[in-house]
Amino acid sequence: MQLSLIAQDDVFPLARAFAVGIDRAELRRLMRQGHVHRLHHGWFATREPADDRDRHRLRLAALLQQYATRAVASDASALLLLGLPTYQPDWTVAHLMRTGPTRAARTKAQRKPDLVVRPALDHEHATRLPATAQAVHPAVALALAGLTDPCAFLVPADAALRERRVTQDELRLAVEVIGRRPGIERVRAAVGRCDARHESPGETVVAWVLHHLGFRTLAQFVVPGTEVFTPGGRGYRVDAGIVGTTVLVEFDGRSKYGSAQDLWEEKRREDRIRALGWEVVRLTWADLQHPQRVRALVEAALARAAAAGTARMPH
């Protein structure tokens, strides 16, 4: 029979296979032929996962059916369902949150190597930050994801603010709702660093690293003097300007240049900016993993700017 008839969201449980006459021997044959792929105990997928992220998505589909209305996706699992970016997630572990009243035996998260099920929010908080049918409120998901690393909060939070899917007040409330647990103070400190002007995860992390290195930055800085090069006199925007200096910072992501033409246009743009007396520091993901390398690159640019005696950007 067609497996699509028993699958929902490309997954099905063993019990559903039994119900239509597919026994264990048949399942093993289908797995050998590559028609069925095991996800976790008692659950299977009708297609091969494309990568770890896709496998997580399939496992999550299975878990949400398994728990039915008793739990929804949480943490990075919820961010995946909500279509928000993530920062260095562990896709081997799925995260859920219970939706029903919290029982005494469930006041702590239930943990397995590949699954964490958190207790439900109390009624008041659940009303103020309501979950959807499949995921916790975006602000709750953001705050919980950030317990492991502030950037795991900031990267999706900037995107959520930019898309107006959360507000700053909701982010602050989510931090209070979560309460005292390891990592929450780092998330609380990061809330004030959220900035909807950051247009990519790389820009968010650049701002975070520069902040901790002691540099004040202005996101999406429009370079004075470049208005003549753009339609409508908008000027060239750069990812960040270091306040009080003529040093600009650009993040080079893997997909920034789609063609040789894109690369040529970017080089011409940067040549024009430099010709006006500005220093440009280009950072990659590899650089961001080594903050002292970032410091050295920025300080070298500052030294060149000082030697040139160029005008400074406003404070």
Side-chain angles (χ1 to χ4, degrees), residues 87 155 198-209 239 250-253 283-285 288:
Y87 179 78
V155 164
H198 296 147
E199 296 179 344
S200 71
E203 291 179 40
T204 296
V205 179
V206 164
W208 182 248
V209 171
D239 296 338
E250 290 271 60
F251 174 74
D252 275 338
L283 299 175
T284 65
W285 281 118
L288 296 176

Side-chain angles (χ1 to χ4, degrees), residues 1-314:
M1 70 174 298
Q2 291 184 347
L3 292 172
S4 59
L5 296 177
I6 63 171
Q8 296 178 20
D9 296 327
D10 298 325
V11 302
F12 65 90
L14 186 61
R16 201 178 298 158
F18 287 166
V20 296
I22 300 177
D23 59 17
R24 294 181 186 274
E26 177 70 1
L27 272 176
R28 287 193 292 270
R29 183 183 69 80
L30 291 170
M31 283 191 285
R32 286 195 301 270
Q33 294 175 344
H35 299 305
V36 169
H37 304 270
R38 188 186 301 276
L39 292 174
H40 58 258
H41 180 69
W43 282 85
F44 304 86
T46 58
R47 61 177 179 80
E48 183 176 4
D51 50 28
D52 290 343
R53 181 187 181 93
D54 190 40
R55 174 175 287 278
H56 189 94
R57 188 188 300 276
L58 289 169
R59 281 201 65 226
L60 198 54
L63 288 165
L64 290 175
Q65 292 179 44
Q66 184 176 337
Y67 278 79
T69 59
R70 295 177 292 122
V72 293
S74 182
D75 299 57
S77 296
L79 299 180
L80 178 62
L81 283 186
L82 294 167
L84 290 169
T86 52
Y87 179 78
Q88 298 183 346
D90 180 359
W91 292 128
T92 66
V93 182
H95 293 266
L96 301 180
M97 178 178 284
R98 295 190 181 276
T99 56
T102 302
R103 298 178 182 176
R106 294 177 179 172
T107 55
K108 294 184 178 180
Q110 296 177 311
R111 299 179 182 274
K112 297 179 180 179
D114 62 352
L115 175 64
V116 175
V117 184
R118 297 186 182 279
L121 299 179
D122 63 45
H123 178 71
E124 178 187 355
H125 292 145
T127 300
R128 297 174 70 186
L129 293 172
T132 66
Q134 290 194 310
V136 297
H137 189 281
V140 175
L142 292 164
L144 289 171
L147 295 176
T148 57
D149 185 320
C151 284
F153 164 75
L154 284 165
V155 164
D158 282 353
L161 286 169
R162 188 171 62 252
E163 297 169 12
R164 298 183 179 181
R165 299 172 68 176
V166 297
T167 65
Q168 285 280 2
D169 285 344
E170 287 173 334
L171 293 176
R172 286 188 285 268
L173 176 59
V175 171
E176 299 308 317
V177 164
I178 289 172
R180 297 181 61 183
R181 61 185 68 202
I184 194 62
E185 290 306 321
R186 292 193 296 272
V187 177
R188 191 190 310 278
V191 170
R193 303 302 307 175
C194 292
D195 194 332
R197 292 173 296 178
H198 296 147
E199 296 179 344
S200 71
E203 291 179 40
T204 296
V205 179
V206 164
W208 182 248
V209 171
L210 291 174
H211 166 67
H212 280 280
L213 290 174
F215 299 111
R216 291 176 56 216
T217 60
L218 179 63
Q220 297 301 314
F221 177 67
V222 178
V223 184
T226 60
E227 295 82 1
V228 296
F229 303 125
T230 58
R234 294 190 299 270
Y236 290 145
R237 281 188 305 135
V238 295
D239 296 338
I242 297 183
V243 175
T245 77
T246 55
V247 174
L248 310 174
V249 181
E250 290 271 60
F251 174 74
D252 275 338
R254 183 176 298 178
S255 60
K256 187 169 184 177
Y257 310 114
S259 66
Q261 180 66 23
D262 291 337
L263 187 60
W264 184 84
E265 290 286 354
E266 180 64 20
K267 182 181 184 305
R268 184 173 68 166
R269 174 180 179 272
E270 185 168 317
D271 286 345
R272 288 170 170 172
I273 291 172
R274 290 183 185 276
L276 291 170
W278 297 86
E279 290 289 335
V280 181
V281 176
R282 308 198 74 91
L283 299 175
T284 65
W285 281 118
D287 295 324
L288 296 176
Q289 301 306 311
H290 302 280
Q292 293 311 312
R293 182 191 303 174
V294 175
R295 183 191 295 279
L297 290 169
V298 172
E299 289 183 344
L302 290 170
R304 291 193 300 270
T310 50
R312 297 157 67 88
M313 69 177 283

